[in-house]
Amino acid sequence: MLSQRTVEMFVGLFLMAAIAALLVLAFKVSGLTSFFKTDGYVVHAVFDDIGQLKIRSAVKMSGVTIGEVTEIKLDPTTYRADVSMLINAKMADIPDDSSAAILTAGLLGDNYIALTPMYSSTFLKNGSVIAETHSAMILEKLIGQLVYKISGGNNANSGTSGNGDAAPDSTKSHSSTGVKK
């Protein structure tokens, strides 16, 4: 039989190991640390609108995560977003004429970058720039365009009120007695 002291030592070691494992998991999930730096190469893409894309957003190809967004900055001369992506070193054969698009996971999910490979025989390498990009589709802009088209376009100053009736004319009769105002 183990002594009381030995049992307490094993329990203490088990608790310390469990706490250490939880801390490592918390740092890994939150992305606040670089303990687990993955090998890879950095490529850049320039977008007109990145929507809600954030640092550490996924970079996917055919639905499989192959990297993450590492930096987002605004180019002061073109006012376009320059996005840096760290691509996993295992994915060394992505054609350099590939395109990048910002997509949304589901209807209201997080944004991510989807790479679509093309047919070039040369591949992306550290510092490459993806030339063909497709900006994020912003749901609010799409709804605004739909409402604008449904409402008839440029009828803002056509003399109609908000309920679709014509604006009242001050010379017309507004009562059943025929008296003009």
Side-chain angles (χ1 to χ4, degrees), residues 56-137:
R56 289 188 300 277
S57 292
V59 176
K60 297 182 178 186
M61 182 180 290
S62 300
V64 178
T65 301
I66 61 166
E68 69 178 11
V69 174
T70 57
E71 183 179 24
I72 300 172
K73 58 185 174 185
L74 184 67
D75 185 338
T77 57
T78 62
Y79 299 109
R80 296 177 72 199
D82 181 10
V83 178
S84 300
M85 300 169 274
L86 178 66
I87 307 296
N88 192 329
K90 295 177 186 173
M91 299 301 301
D93 56 352
I94 300 173
D96 63 357
D97 63 345
S98 298
S99 66
I102 299 176
L103 302 178
T104 304
L107 184 59
L108 299 173
D110 291 334
N111 286 3
Y112 66 93
I113 295 180
L115 296 181
T116 304
M118 292 305 194
Y119 308 104
S120 177
S121 59
T122 58
F123 304 118
L124 292 172
K125 58 184 185 286
N126 196 34
S128 294
V129 176
I130 297 175
E132 171 124 14
T133 61
H134 304 281
S135 295
M137 287 203 290

